[in-house]
């Protein structure tokens, strides 16, 4: 699938129920490792619950997926070299680029014949969680649900979160956020009137949702689905 943007064509993964019906749309941002088997499995799982899932290659300016060669399992020995290749792409993906792309992704998502009318959700993992948060902040008119996992959701400052209209769930890795940090973030969310939940997943490390990494935690992935699916049901399918 190709998404037209102001800077070219972004290749993307799509997954949706093959039943001829229209379904709520979900924009899914991958982690920095991008579109691969582990992410396809997550998109397929979500589609199986009745959603149209769009997962773009947000590094499309540098080329189509895969931009770097990934092993079947991204172990700790291989990770530093892979991250070193990806860091220049991450640094080049400015907030301005991210927001321009977000408009293109949302326009594409909402125009698909398999996507029903109404609001959409955005989800994201690692850097994708930050991109999902930026998208929800920029488009409160369209985004009704935001879920981000092991992500620097406050990287743009607490003030930016005041613009959120979506119901949120932030699932943090225990190695990414201290309880004191979590308390500060949650106080900022409360002060901004943001509805939802924000919690540390016990015993987890950064990347806990990704089944092809050493960080993977099956129990935490189940918890992720237990938080994500009810959020989508409340905000999208019950309207």
């Amino acid at each position: 699938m190709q998404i037209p943007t102001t800077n070219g064509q972004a290749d993307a993964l799509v997954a949706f129920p093959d039943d001829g019906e229209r379904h709520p749309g979900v924009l899914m941002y991958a982690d920095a490792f991008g579109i691969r088997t582990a992410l396809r499995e997550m998109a397929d799982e979500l589609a199986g619950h009745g959603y149209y899932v769009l997962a773009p290659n947000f590094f499309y300016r540098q080329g189509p997926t895969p931009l770097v060669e990934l092993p079947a399992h991204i172990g700790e020995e291989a990770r530093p070299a892979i991250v070193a290749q990806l860091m220049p792409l991450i640094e080049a993906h400015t907030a301005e680029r991210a927001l321009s792309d977000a408009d293109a992704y949302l326009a594409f998502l909402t125009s698909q014949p398999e996507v029903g009318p109404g609001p959409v959700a955005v989800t994201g993992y690692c850097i994708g969680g930050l991109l999902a948060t930026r998208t929800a902040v920029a488009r409160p008119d369209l985004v009704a649900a935001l879920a981000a996992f092991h992500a620097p959701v406050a990287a743009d400052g607490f003030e930016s979160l005041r613009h959120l209209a979506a119901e949120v769930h932030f699932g943090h890795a225990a190695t990414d956020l201290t309880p004191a940090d979590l308390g500060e973030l949650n106080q900022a969310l409360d002060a901004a009137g943001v509805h939802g939940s924000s919690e540390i997943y016990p015993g987890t490390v950064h990347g806990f949702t990704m089944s092809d990494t050493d960080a993977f935690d099956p129990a935490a992935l189940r918890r992720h689905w237990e938080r994500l699916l009810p959020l989508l049901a409340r905000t999208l399918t019950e309207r």
Side-chain angles (χ1 to χ4, degrees), residues 1-3 5 9-14 26-36 39 43 53-60 63-65 93 98 101-102 104-106 108-109 122-123 128 131 135:
M1 187 69 69
Q2 298 289 320
I3 305 172
T5 79
Q9 299 282 323
D11 52 307
L13 163 70
V14 297
V26 178
L27 174 59
M28 175 185 283
Y29 288 103
D31 60 359
F33 297 134
I35 299 170
R36 59 200 192 280
L39 194 80
V53 183
L54 174 67
N57 166 28
F58 46 82
F59 293 145
Y60 69 90
T65 298
H93 199 65
D101 289 346
Y105 302 154
L106 291 171
F108 181 89
L109 176 63
V122 289
T123 68
L131 299 179
T135 299

Side-chain angles (χ1 to χ4, degrees), residues 122-134:
V122 289
T123 68
Y125 305 87
C126 186
I127 184 181
L130 174 58
L131 299 179
T133 302
R134 286 174 171 168

Side-chain angles (χ1 to χ4, degrees), residues 2-228:
Q2 298 289 320
I3 305 172
T5 79
T6 56
N7 293 115
Q9 299 282 323
D11 52 307
L13 163 70
V14 297
F16 55 91
D18 185 18
D19 58 7
E21 301 294 328
R22 302 177 76 187
H23 300 277
V26 178
L27 174 59
M28 175 185 283
Y29 288 103
D31 60 359
F33 297 134
I35 299 170
R36 59 200 192 280
T37 299
L39 194 80
R40 293 175 192 276
E41 290 172 350
M42 296 180 76
D44 287 342
E45 173 75 18
L46 188 51
H49 290 275
Y51 299 96
Y52 183 108
V53 183
L54 174 67
N57 166 28
F58 46 82
F59 293 145
Y60 69 90
R61 291 173 180 82
Q62 286 76 31
T65 298
L67 285 169
V68 301
E69 184 175 349
L70 297 175
H73 182 82
I74 305 169
E76 288 308 308
E77 290 186 2
R79 184 185 183 94
I82 296 169
V83 171
Q85 294 179 72
L86 292 172
M87 280 307 300
L89 309 185
I90 295 171
E91 292 168 356
H93 199 65
T94 62
E96 182 181 11
R97 282 186 173 186
L99 294 180
S100 174
D101 289 346
D103 282 339
Y105 302 154
L106 291 171
F108 181 89
L109 176 63
T110 55
S111 69
Q112 298 310 294
E114 299 89 359
V115 176
V120 302
V122 289
T123 68
Y125 305 87
C126 186
I127 184 181
L130 174 58
L131 299 179
T133 302
R134 286 174 171 168
T135 299
V137 165
R139 293 299 305 271
D141 58 311
L142 183 59
V143 177
L146 163 64
F149 302 90
H150 43 86
V153 295
D156 294 334
F158 291 150
E159 184 65 28
S160 67
L161 301 176
R162 293 183 178 275
H163 301 286
L164 282 172
E167 183 178 342
V168 309
H169 175 69
F170 295 148
H172 311 284
T175 55
D176 285 346
L177 213 62
T178 67
D181 293 334
L182 177 67
E184 187 177 2
L185 172 60
N186 289 352
Q187 284 181 0
L189 292 171
D190 289 343
V194 177
H195 298 288
S197 57
S198 172
E199 61 180 324
I200 293 172
Y201 285 27
T204 56
V205 298
H206 182 74
F208 59 78
T209 59
M210 295 298 155
S211 63
D212 58 353
T213 73
D214 283 353
F216 180 55
D217 185 323
L221 179 62
R222 288 194 298 272
R223 188 185 188 111
H224 146 284
W225 290 119
E226 290 167 358
R227 299 296 190 268
L228 177 59

